[in-house]
Amino acid sequence: MFEHYLDLAIKAIFVENIILGFFLGICPFLAVSKKVSSSIGMGLAVTFVMTSTAPINWLVNNFLLKEGALSWLGFPEIDLSYLSYIIFIAVIAATVQLIEMVIERFSPTLHQQLGIFLPLIAVNCAILGVSLFLIERDYTLTESTVYGFGSGIGWFLAITSMAAMRHKLRYSNVPAGLRGLGITMILTGLLSMSFMAFSGIDL
Amino acid sequence: MRALTKEDLKIFTDPLLNKNPLTFLVMGFCSALAVTVKMETALVMTAAVVFVLSLSSTIISVIRKLIPSKVRIIVQLAVIASLVIIADQFLRAYVYEISKQLSVFVALIITNCIVMGRTEGYAMQNSPGKAFLDGLGNALGYGIALVAVAFLREFFGSGSVYGIQLIPDWLYEAGYRNAGLMVLSPGAFIILGLLVWLQYSLLSNRGAPGEHVHGADHSHHG
């Protein structure tokens, strides 16, 4: 059983990395990857939010939205799944707000590090993407949590290595037209290839 | 209805190439690249974005004076999400096979920063007619970039365009192989990087693309 979860986590971190395999969350990935320190902060915040929103959205879907999910209230025929997008967005925004308040109360240092990144995360499509994928793939509650955590770590690894690469890039002579976005995309492609090399690992 | 002025036309044509949202403003990558393995999915995705973006800009612009500025983001999200739900249900009803392939990426138009960027950055300050043109232009510009990437990926990755085989059989027999990399995700990144290079070289009189918008608040959205 443990191996199954480990396998799922490794898949989410490397082979099916949420940025490099599914292109989700690229905007903050490009915008915040200029400095290693801020990319670490952003990566931590994303990991944190993904790990908490994945199980919450699983619960919301299974006990409120899915076809027959309301049978515990006595409405077995109701199917609210068409509402899932709007509800998930609301849940994510609310969770981010809540996490921010909790962190501010208990760990001011952590809040200082993550503070500016948290509000941006509410509209990060990687977070919504994780919630939608776990519904589409029919994960259980534990699997969803593991998947959310793994995707977060994968995002963290990708943005931190990108920031380190961009740091090195400052000292290299890139052709004028490729500077900025062009070379960053090509680097992301190379990074994506290296992450794909992990495919085939099967526990 | 009054005729379109030159200015209106510029609102529409600017985002098509010069200020293309994807390659120039670095917005809206999410939900974009994953659908570019084949032309078919890219075109359907473009249609969905055109629908959502032009209508959400128009609707937001019509009600812009009624929205209290403190809750404007939530209002915009609600309008966008409702339109996305309509588009998604429509696709499921009429082109089920393609909607299966698009999987969650239609839903992710909600968090696509182009849509939020246009409603927040343009529709909130301009009249409905202009907002519609701006939304339409940006959606089509986005679509052009999407279709260009999809064309190259499908041509080199599968030897076909829109499902029609273009590379003749004798070439395969002579030893030609499809580039498998193009079908995988790294291909999309690299092709987009090269397209940005091409675009910049053609319009080389401006600053490096993407450099000057980082830091503007829209560029951070997912």
Side-chain angles (χ1 to χ4, degrees):
Chain A
M1 207 59 210
F2 175 73
E3 277 179 3
H4 171 67
Y5 293 128
L6 193 66
D7 188 34
L8 191 69
I10 287 180
K11 256 207 186 114
I13 295 173
F14 295 110
V15 186
E16 297 182 353
N17 185 292
I18 198 97
I19 298 182
L20 304 169
F22 287 102
F23 314 99
L24 296 179
I26 296 195
C27 305
F29 172 76
L30 293 176
V32 192
S33 65
K34 294 207 163 155
K35 269 170 62 188
V36 177
S37 55
S38 51
S39 72
I40 291 177
M42 186 71 184
L44 282 179
V46 167
T47 313
F48 212 68
V49 174
M50 269 187 194
T51 319
S52 37
T53 52
I56 296 176
N57 274 337
W58 187 89
L59 289 173
V60 168
N61 186 59
N62 276 271
F63 289 103
L64 289 175
L65 300 174
K66 212 163 84 174
E67 193 177 358
L70 280 173
S71 50
W72 59 278
L73 273 178
F75 305 107
E77 286 108 49
I78 293 182
D79 177 10
L80 292 178
S81 52
Y82 65 93
L83 280 179
S84 59
Y85 307 158
I86 207 161
I87 303 270
F88 284 176
I89 281 279
V91 166
I92 290 167
T95 317
V96 169
Q97 240 353 264
L98 202 71
I99 290 175
E100 197 181 357
M101 275 146 64
V102 171
I103 293 182
E104 195 176 8
R105 169 74 182 76
F106 290 105
S107 171
T109 21
L110 190 63
H111 183 256
Q112 238 171 16
Q113 281 171 4
L114 302 187
I116 43 167
F117 301 116
L118 279 171
L120 299 176
I121 285 176
V123 281
N124 183 334
C125 50
I127 313 271
L128 181 65
V130 163
S131 292
L132 293 169
F133 273 130
L134 62 92
I135 304 303
E136 199 187 66
R137 295 177 188 167
D138 256 335
Y139 284 151
T140 64
L141 182 57
T142 332
E143 280 174 343
S144 308
T145 319
V146 172
Y147 178 67
F149 178 70
S151 302
I153 294 288
W155 205 91
F156 175 83
L157 277 180
I159 194 173
T160 324
S161 29
M162 193 65 212
M165 275 154 72
R166 285 179 96 169
H167 191 79
K168 281 270 177 210
L169 205 63
R170 272 186 232 155
Y171 307 106
S172 35
N173 190 10
V174 181
L178 261 181
R179 263 175 222 155
L181 180 61
I183 190 71
T184 314
M185 288 319 283
I186 290 175
L187 273 181
T188 316
L190 296 177
L191 190 63
S192 167
M193 271 193 231
S194 65
F195 269 60
M196 284 198 124
F198 284 95
S199 63
I201 290 182
D202 211 0
L203 291 176
Chain B
M1 198 187 146
R2 80 201 156 86
L4 290 176
T5 63
K6 220 173 191 171
E7 193 195 344
D8 289 342
L9 211 63
K10 201 167 154 48
I11 296 172
F12 175 68
T13 53
D14 243 9
L16 292 185
L17 189 63
N18 288 357
K19 292 187 180 160
N20 189 295
L22 197 66
T23 55
F24 186 70
L25 297 178
V26 204
M27 284 161 76
F29 284 96
C30 327
S31 74
L33 294 175
V35 300
T36 54
V37 179
K38 283 190 295 184
M39 286 284 275
E40 204 179 19
T41 46
L43 283 172
V44 173
M45 186 69 185
T46 306
V49 172
V50 166
F51 170 78
V52 172
L53 187 49
S54 54
L55 276 184
S56 66
S57 277
T58 317
I59 293 174
I60 294 288
S61 170
V62 169
I63 60 171
R64 70 185 188 281
K65 287 180 182 138
L66 303 172
I67 306 174
S69 70
K70 273 192 180 162
V71 294
R72 64 181 197 284
I73 301 284
I74 305 275
V75 174
Q76 290 170 18
L77 263 183
V79 170
I80 295 166
S82 315
L83 286 167
V84 169
I85 291 174
I86 295 173
D88 186 46
Q89 297 283 329
F90 182 86
L91 290 183
R92 268 185 215 187
Y94 291 98
V95 278
Y96 186 72
E97 279 308 309
I98 297 176
S99 89
K100 267 270 167 252
Q101 288 171 25
L102 288 174
S103 93
V104 304
F105 293 101
V106 173
L108 287 169
I109 297 176
I110 300 174
T111 45
N112 187 323
C113 31
I114 292 183
V115 185
M116 275 292 262
R118 287 342 282 175
T119 53
E120 168 75 12
Y122 195 87
M124 284 299 281
Q125 290 95 34
N126 289 284
S127 63
K130 278 186 180 172
F132 174 75
L133 283 178
D134 177 73
L136 191 67
N138 274 286
L140 288 176
Y142 180 73
I144 288 175
L146 219 60
V147 169
V149 176
F151 175 82
L152 293 170
R153 279 182 83 184
E154 195 179 343
F155 183 73
F156 289 110
S158 319
S160 58
V161 169
Y162 206 80
I164 301 160
Q165 192 181 340
L166 282 192
I167 309 256
D169 283 328
W170 58 264
L171 208 56
Y172 282 111
E173 278 153 25
Y176 177 83
R177 297 275 294 275
N178 286 327
L181 183 69
M182 285 300 143
V183 186
L184 301 172
S185 43
F189 286 118
I190 291 171
I191 285 195
L192 193 66
L194 295 176
L195 280 182
V196 170
W197 190 6
L198 179 72
Q199 190 203 14
Y200 176 74
S201 310
L202 292 178
L203 314 160
S204 55
N205 53 345
R206 51 187 97 229
E211 278 300 302
H212 50 112
V213 282
H214 288 160
D217 41 2
H218 308 306
S219 63
H220 293 292
H221 292 216

